[in-house]
Amino acid sequence: MATVETILSSIFSNVAELHSGQLGLLSGVLVGLLYWHGYSRSSLALLSVLYLLALGIVTAPARGLLVVQSQPWYFCSFLIISSLGAISARVVLTRVSHSNQPRLSEIGQQDY
């Protein structure tokens, strides 16, 4: 039986990698929430800025970025995966809800 500790130790080799992945996941959730609530341009801009910050292309005077910039692979991977997951879920739910709504031509043909 695999425990959480064995699974995490097989993915991450040290604590900095784990924290970088966690920050990427949380940042991706934030981007997804912004997109979910209709701020598509703001969410994609935030996604771009976070990605560039993690790679060190854009600098920022924050000590917390040292963890992210020391292990950008984990941060960027979890950022992209969680952001695209939330954006895809929003797109799928929007299409499903639109397909379930009756069309105007169908409404006029119903018997009352």
Side-chain angles (χ1 to χ4, degrees):
M1 180 89 180
T3 63
V4 174
E5 184 180 341
T6 58
I7 293 171
L8 289 177
S9 65
S10 68
I11 298 171
F12 306 105
S13 60
N14 59 27
V15 177
E17 293 174 355
L18 175 65
H19 287 288
S20 183
Q22 287 174 333
L23 288 171
L25 182 69
L26 291 174
S27 300
V29 168
L30 177 65
V31 169
L33 284 173
L34 280 174
Y35 191 87
W36 192 275
H37 289 287
Y39 300 103
S40 59
R41 287 188 181 181
S42 300
S43 66
L44 295 177
L46 180 62
L47 176 65
S48 301
V49 168
L50 288 170
Y51 198 82
L52 293 175
L53 278 171
L55 294 178
I57 296 172
V58 177
T59 59
R63 295 183 78 184
L65 285 175
L66 292 176
V67 172
V68 172
Q69 290 176 348
S70 68
Q71 304 293 335
W73 167 251
Y74 292 99
F75 179 83
C76 293
S77 297
F78 282 99
L79 173 68
I80 296 297
I81 289 169
S82 58
S83 297
L84 290 179
I87 290 170
S88 300
R90 171 67 175 161
V91 169
V92 167
L93 286 176
T94 301
R95 289 191 182 181
V96 167
S97 67
H98 284 296
S99 67
N100 289 339
Q101 293 177 354
R103 297 193 176 138
L104 291 176
S105 60
E106 295 172 358
I107 293 173
Q109 296 174 357
Q110 292 177 351
D111 295 328
Y112 291 102

